[in-house]
Amino acid sequence: MTLTRTTLIAALLGVAAAGTVYADDVPHQQVPQLVKDGTIQSLETLDKVALDKHPQAQITDTDLENEYGRYIYQVELRDGQGQEWDVDIDASTGDVLKDERD
């Protein structure tokens, strides 16, 4: 019985640990080093990518996440008509991965 309970606890901990790898927010203090190392593009460059998709919009929120080792820059925008947009950008390449109305 103890072995089964221990195995179950270990499995649950493994699932919890795997969940944290899925999408971890990247601390702001790590961003300059990631840019310097060439791992990601500058946040200004990535902001421009999002704004190029929606020229009349303003950025309302941004977030950099590490999803399975891939850096994704998430940008929320509001256009001139008040419509909100979510744009996900590969922070390494600058490729737009998602561009949809919220």
Side-chain angles (χ1 to χ4, degrees):
M1 184 81 161
T2 304
L3 180 59
T4 304
R5 190 175 302 157
T6 303
T7 304
L8 178 60
I9 290 170
L12 290 173
L13 289 174
V15 169
T20 60
V21 173
Y22 169 68
D24 286 332
D25 287 340
V26 176
H28 292 281
Q29 63 267 27
Q30 288 182 3
V31 172
Q33 189 63 46
L34 291 169
V35 172
K36 181 179 176 186
D37 293 345
T39 304
I40 66 169
Q41 297 183 20
S42 73
L43 300 186
E44 293 80 13
T45 299
L46 297 171
D47 286 344
K48 184 177 179 332
V49 170
L51 290 169
D52 284 349
K53 297 293 285 180
H54 303 279
Q56 302 301 316
Q58 292 186 1
I59 294 173
T60 59
D61 193 24
T62 61
D63 193 28
L64 179 64
E65 292 191 353
N66 184 344
E67 297 182 9
Y68 295 113
R70 184 180 192 185
Y71 290 96
I72 308 296
Y73 189 60
Q74 300 171 332
V75 184
E76 294 179 14
L77 304 114
R78 184 180 310 262
D79 65 20
Q81 291 75 41
Q83 183 62 56
E84 294 183 358
W85 295 88
D86 292 330
V87 179
D88 287 1
I89 303 167
D90 182 310
S92 299
T93 65
D95 293 337
V96 174
L97 305 172
K98 177 179 92 171
D99 180 21
E100 60 186 37
R101 284 197 296 192
D102 192 21

